[in-house]
Coordinates of all heavy atoms in Angstrom, one line a residue:
M1 N -57.3 8.9 4.6 CA -58.6 9.2 4.6 C -58.8 10.6 5.6 O -58.3 10.5 6.7 CB -59.5 8.1 5.3 CG -60.9 8.4 5.4 SD -61.9 7.0 5.5 CE -62.4 7.0 7.2
P2 N -59.5 11.6 5.0 CA -59.7 12.8 5.8 C -60.3 12.5 7.2 O -61.3 11.7 7.2 CB -60.5 13.8 5.0 CG -60.4 13.2 3.6 CD -60.1 11.8 3.8
D3 N -60.2 13.3 8.2 CA -60.8 13.1 9.5 C -62.1 13.7 9.4 O -62.6 14.4 8.5 CB -60.0 13.5 10.6 CG -59.6 15.0 10.6 OD1 -60.5 15.8 9.9 OD2 -58.8 15.5 11.4
V4 N -62.9 13.5 10.4 CA -64.3 13.9 10.7 C -64.4 15.5 10.4 O -65.2 16.0 9.7 CB -65.0 13.4 11.9 CG1 -66.4 14.0 12.0 CG2 -65.0 11.9 11.8
A5 N -63.4 16.2 11.2 CA -63.4 17.7 11.2 C -63.2 18.2 9.8 O -64.0 19.1 9.4 CB -62.4 18.1 12.2
Y6 N -62.3 17.6 9.1 CA -62.0 18.1 7.7 C -63.2 17.8 6.9 O -63.6 18.6 6.0 CB -60.8 17.5 7.1 CG -60.6 17.9 5.7 CD1 -60.0 19.0 5.4 CD2 -61.0 17.1 4.6 CE1 -59.9 19.5 4.1 CE2 -60.8 17.5 3.5 CZ -60.4 18.7 3.1 OH -60.3 19.3 1.9
Q7 N -63.8 16.7 7.0 CA -64.8 16.3 6.1 C -66.1 17.3 6.3 O -66.7 17.7 5.3 CB -65.4 14.9 6.4 CG -66.5 14.4 5.4 CD -66.0 14.4 4.0 OE1 -64.8 14.1 3.7 NE2 -66.8 14.8 3.1
A8 N -66.4 17.6 7.6 CA -67.5 18.6 7.8 C -67.2 20.0 7.1 O -67.9 20.6 6.6 CB -67.7 18.8 9.3
L9 N -65.8 20.4 7.3 CA -65.4 21.6 6.7 C -65.4 21.5 5.2 O -65.9 22.5 4.5 CB -64.0 22.0 7.2 CG -64.0 22.5 8.6 CD1 -62.5 22.5 9.0 CD2 -64.7 23.9 8.7
A10 N -65.1 20.4 4.6 CA -65.2 20.3 3.1 C -66.6 20.3 2.5 O -66.9 20.9 1.6 CB -64.6 18.9 2.8
E11 N -67.5 19.9 3.4 CA -69.0 19.9 3.1 C -69.5 21.4 3.0 O -70.2 21.8 2.1 CB -69.7 19.0 3.9 CG -69.6 17.6 3.7 CD -70.3 16.6 4.7 OE1 -71.1 17.2 5.4 OE2 -70.0 15.5 4.7
L12 N -69.0 22.1 4.1 CA -69.4 23.5 4.2 C -68.7 24.3 3.1 O -69.3 25.2 2.4 CB -68.8 24.1 5.5 CG -69.2 25.6 5.7 CD1 -70.6 25.9 5.6 CD2 -68.6 26.0 7.1
W13 N -67.5 24.0 2.8 CA -66.8 24.6 1.7 C -67.6 24.4 0.3 O -67.7 25.2 -0.5 CB -65.3 24.0 1.5 CG -64.5 24.6 0.5 CD1 -64.6 24.5 -0.9 CD2 -63.4 25.4 0.7 NE1 -63.6 25.1 -1.5 CE2 -62.8 25.8 -0.5 CE3 -62.6 26.0 1.9 CZ2 -61.6 26.5 -0.7 CZ3 -61.6 26.6 1.6 CH2 -61.0 26.9 0.5
E14 N -68.0 23.1 0.0 CA -68.7 22.8 -1.2 C -70.0 23.7 -1.1 O -70.4 24.3 -2.1 CB -69.0 21.5 -1.2 CG -69.8 21.1 -2.4 CD -69.8 19.7 -2.8 OE1 -69.4 18.8 -2.0 OE2 -70.2 19.2 -3.9
A15 N -70.7 23.8 0.0 CA -71.9 24.7 0.1 C -71.7 26.1 -0.3 O -72.5 26.8 -0.8 CB -72.6 24.5 1.4
V16 N -70.5 26.6 0.2 CA -70.3 28.0 0.0 C -69.7 28.3 -1.4 O -70.1 29.2 -2.1 CB -69.3 28.6 1.1 CG1 -68.7 30.0 0.9 CG2 -69.9 28.5 2.5
F17 N -68.7 27.5 -1.9 CA -68.1 27.8 -3.1 C -68.5 27.0 -4.3 O -68.1 27.1 -5.3 CB -66.6 27.6 -2.8 CG -66.0 28.5 -1.9 CD1 -65.4 28.0 -0.7 CD2 -65.9 29.9 -2.1 CE1 -64.9 29.0 0.3 CE2 -65.4 30.8 -1.2 CZ -64.9 30.3 0.0
G18 N -69.4 25.8 -4.0 CA -69.9 25.1 -5.2 C -69.1 23.9 -5.7 O -69.3 23.5 -6.7
E19 N -67.9 23.8 -4.9 CA -67.0 22.7 -5.3 C -66.2 22.2 -4.1 O -66.1 22.9 -3.2 CB -66.0 23.2 -6.4 CG -65.1 24.3 -5.9 CD -64.3 25.0 -6.9 OE1 -64.6 24.8 -8.2 OE2 -63.2 25.4 -6.7
Q20 N -65.6 21.0 -4.2 CA -64.8 20.6 -3.1 C -63.5 21.3 -2.9 O -63.1 21.8 -4.1 CB -64.5 19.0 -3.3 CG -65.6 18.1 -3.0 CD -65.9 18.0 -1.5 OE1 -64.9 17.8 -0.8 NE2 -67.1 17.9 -1.2
P21 N -62.9 21.4 -1.9 CA -61.5 22.1 -1.7 C -60.6 21.4 -2.7 O -60.6 20.2 -2.8 CB -61.1 21.9 -0.2 CG -62.3 21.5 0.5 CD -63.3 21.0 -0.5
S22 N -59.8 22.2 -3.2 CA -58.8 21.6 -4.4 C -57.7 20.9 -3.7 O -57.0 20.1 -4.4 CB -58.3 22.7 -5.3 OG -57.7 23.7 -4.5
V23 N -57.4 21.1 -2.4 CA -56.4 20.3 -1.6 C -56.9 19.9 -0.3 O -57.8 20.6 0.3 CB -55.0 21.0 -1.5 CG1 -54.5 21.4 -2.8 CG2 -55.3 22.4 -0.7
V24 N -56.4 18.8 0.3 CA -56.7 18.5 1.7 C -55.8 19.1 2.6 O -54.5 19.0 2.3 CB -56.6 16.9 1.8 CG1 -56.9 16.5 3.3 CG2 -57.6 16.2 0.9
A25 N -56.3 19.9 3.6 CA -55.3 20.7 4.4 C -55.8 20.4 5.8 O -56.8 19.7 6.1 CB -55.5 22.2 4.2
E26 N -55.1 20.9 6.8 CA -55.4 20.7 8.2 C -56.8 21.4 8.4 O -57.1 22.4 7.8 CB -54.4 21.4 9.0 CG -53.1 20.6 9.1 CD -53.2 19.3 9.9 OE1 -53.8 19.3 11.0 OE2 -52.6 18.5 9.3
P27 N -57.7 20.9 9.2 CA -58.9 21.5 9.5 C -58.8 22.9 9.8 O -59.7 23.7 9.4 CB -59.6 20.6 10.6 CG -59.0 19.3 10.4 CD -57.6 19.5 10.0
S28 N -57.9 23.2 10.6 CA -57.8 24.7 11.1 C -57.5 25.6 10.0 O -57.9 26.6 9.9 CB -56.8 24.8 12.2 OG -55.5 24.5 11.7
L29 N -56.6 25.1 9.0 CA -56.3 26.0 7.9 C -57.5 26.2 7.0 O -57.8 27.3 6.5 CB -55.2 25.4 7.1 CG -54.7 26.2 5.9 CD1 -54.3 27.7 6.1 CD2 -53.6 25.6 5.2
T30 N -58.2 25.0 6.8 CA -59.4 25.1 6.0 C -60.4 26.0 6.5 O -61.1 26.8 5.9 CB -60.0 23.7 5.8 OG1 -58.9 22.8 5.3 CG2 -61.2 23.7 4.9
A31 N -60.6 26.0 7.9 CA -61.7 26.9 8.5 C -61.1 28.3 8.4 O -62.1 29.2 8.3 CB -61.8 26.5 10.1
Q32 N -59.9 28.6 8.5 CA -59.4 30.1 8.4 C -59.7 30.5 7.0 O -60.3 31.7 6.9 CB -58.0 30.1 8.7 CG -57.5 29.9 10.1 CD -56.2 29.8 10.4 OE1 -55.3 30.0 9.4 NE2 -55.6 29.7 11.6
V33 N -59.4 29.8 6.0 CA -59.7 30.2 4.7 C -61.3 30.4 4.4 O -61.6 31.4 3.9 CB -59.1 29.2 3.6 CG1 -59.6 29.6 2.2 CG2 -57.6 29.1 3.7
L34 N -62.1 29.4 4.9 CA -63.5 29.6 4.7 C -64.0 30.8 5.3 O -64.7 31.7 4.7 CB -64.1 28.4 5.5 CG -64.8 27.4 4.6 CD1 -65.1 26.2 5.5 CD2 -65.8 27.8 3.8
V35 N -63.6 31.2 6.7 CA -64.0 32.3 7.4 C -63.5 33.6 6.7 O -64.3 34.4 6.6 CB -63.6 32.2 8.8 CG1 -63.8 33.5 9.5 CG2 -64.3 31.2 9.5
A36 N -62.4 33.6 6.1 CA -61.8 34.8 5.5 C -62.6 35.1 4.2 O -62.7 36.2 3.9 CB -60.4 34.5 5.2
Y37 N -63.2 34.2 3.5 CA -63.8 34.5 2.2 C -65.3 34.2 2.3 O -66.0 34.3 1.3 CB -63.2 33.5 1.3 CG -61.8 33.9 0.8 CD1 -60.7 33.4 1.5 CD2 -61.7 35.0 0.0 CE1 -59.4 33.9 1.2 CE2 -60.3 35.4 -0.2 CZ -59.3 34.8 0.3 OH -58.0 35.3 0.1
L38 N -66.0 34.0 3.5 CA -67.4 33.9 3.6 C -68.0 35.2 3.3 O -67.5 36.3 3.6 CB -67.9 33.5 5.0 CG -67.7 32.0 5.3 CD1 -68.0 31.8 6.8 CD2 -68.6 31.2 4.5
P39 N -69.2 35.3 2.4 CA -69.8 36.7 2.3 C -70.2 37.3 3.5 O -70.6 36.6 4.4 CB -70.9 36.1 1.3 CG -71.0 34.8 1.5 CD -69.8 34.2 2.0
P40 N -70.4 38.6 3.5 CA -70.9 39.3 4.7 C -72.3 38.9 4.9 O -73.0 38.6 4.0 CB -70.6 40.7 4.4 CG -70.4 40.8 3.0 CD -69.9 39.5 2.4
V41 N -72.7 39.0 6.2 CA -74.2 38.7 6.5 C -74.6 40.1 7.1 O -74.1 40.9 7.5 CB -74.3 37.6 7.5 CG1 -73.8 36.3 6.8 CG2 -73.6 37.7 8.7
E42 N -76.0 40.1 7.0 CA -76.8 41.2 7.4 C -76.7 41.2 9.0 O -76.8 40.2 9.5 CB -78.2 41.3 7.1 CG -78.4 41.4 5.6 CD -78.1 42.8 5.0 OE1 -78.4 43.7 5.8 OE2 -77.5 43.0 3.9
P43 N -76.5 42.5 9.7 CA -76.6 42.4 11.2 C -77.9 42.0 11.6 O -79.0 42.3 11.0 CB -76.2 43.8 11.5 CG -76.5 44.7 10.3 CD -76.3 43.7 9.1
Y44 N -77.9 41.4 12.8 CA -79.2 41.3 13.5 C -79.8 42.6 14.0 O -78.9 43.4 14.2 CB -79.1 40.3 14.8 CG -78.7 39.0 14.5 CD1 -77.3 38.5 14.6 CD2 -79.7 38.1 14.1 CE1 -77.0 37.1 14.3 CE2 -79.3 36.8 13.8 CZ -78.0 36.3 13.8 OH -77.7 35.0 13.6
S45 N -81.2 42.7 14.1 CA -81.7 43.8 14.7 C -82.8 43.4 15.6 O -83.3 42.4 15.5 CB -82.5 44.7 13.6 OG -83.6 44.3 13.2
F46 N -83.0 44.1 16.7 CA -83.8 43.8 17.7 C -85.0 44.8 17.9 O -85.5 45.1 18.9 CB -83.2 43.7 19.0 CG -82.1 42.4 18.9 CD1 -80.8 42.8 18.8 CD2 -82.6 41.0 19.1 CE1 -79.9 41.6 18.6 CE2 -81.7 40.1 19.0 CZ -80.3 40.3 18.9
G47 N -85.4 45.4 16.6 CA -86.5 46.4 17.0 C -87.9 45.6 16.9 O -88.0 44.5 17.0
A48 N -88.9 46.6 17.2 CA -90.2 46.0 17.5 C -90.7 45.3 16.2 O -91.6 44.3 16.4 CB -91.2 47.2 17.8
E49 N -90.4 45.7 15.0 CA -90.8 44.9 13.8 C -90.4 43.6 13.7 O -90.9 42.8 12.9 CB -90.4 45.8 12.5 CG -89.0 45.8 12.3 CD -88.3 46.8 13.0 OE1 -88.9 47.7 13.7 OE2 -87.0 47.0 12.8
D50 N -89.3 43.2 14.5 CA -88.8 41.8 14.5 C -89.6 40.9 15.6 O -89.1 39.8 15.5 CB -87.3 41.9 14.7 CG -86.6 42.6 13.6 OD1 -87.1 42.6 12.4 OD2 -85.6 43.1 13.8
D51 N -90.2 41.5 16.4 CA -90.8 40.8 17.5 C -91.9 39.9 17.0 O -93.0 40.4 16.6 CB -91.3 41.6 18.6 CG -91.7 41.0 19.8 OD1 -91.6 39.7 19.9 OD2 -92.1 41.7 20.8
P52 N -91.9 38.5 16.9 CA -93.0 37.7 16.5 C -94.1 37.7 17.4 O -95.4 37.3 16.9 CB -92.4 36.3 16.5 CG -91.1 36.3 17.4 CD -90.8 37.7 17.4
E53 N -94.1 38.2 18.6 CA -95.2 38.3 19.6 C -96.2 39.5 19.2 O -97.3 39.4 19.7 CB -94.8 38.4 21.0 CG -93.9 37.3 21.4 CD -94.7 36.0 21.5 OE1 -95.8 36.1 22.0 OE2 -94.1 35.0 21.3
D54 N -95.6 40.5 18.5 CA -96.6 41.6 18.2 C -97.6 41.2 17.0 O -97.4 40.5 16.2 CB -95.8 42.8 17.8 CG -95.0 43.5 18.8 OD1 -95.5 43.2 20.1 OD2 -94.1 44.0 18.7

C-alpha cells in the first residue's frame, strides 16, 4: 500500500496530468518529475492595480 506522501503526490499528479501515475515510485522521485513538468505560472506583481485596498 502506498504511503501517505505518495498518495498526496499521486492526487496532485492526477490533477496536473489527468491520470494516475503509471508506476508507484518513491515520493521524492514522483515530486521531482511533477515539478520538472509543471506548466509555468505567471509571476506575481505588486503594482498599485493589484492592491485590493484601492
Side-chain angles (χ1 to χ4, degrees):
M1 179 158 109
D3 65 18
V4 176
Y6 176 79
Q7 188 59 41
L9 288 166
E11 290 173 12
L12 179 58
W13 185 288
E14 186 171 6
V16 171
F17 298 114
E19 61 186 28
Q20 286 286 314
S22 57
V23 297
V24 175
E26 290 293 318
S28 62
L29 178 59
T30 303
Q32 287 176 1
V33 173
L34 255 172
V35 170
Y37 290 97
L38 282 173
V41 295
E42 295 291 323
Y44 289 101
S45 82
F46 296 103
E49 67 275 359
D50 294 334
D51 188 2
E53 298 293 321
D54 287 340

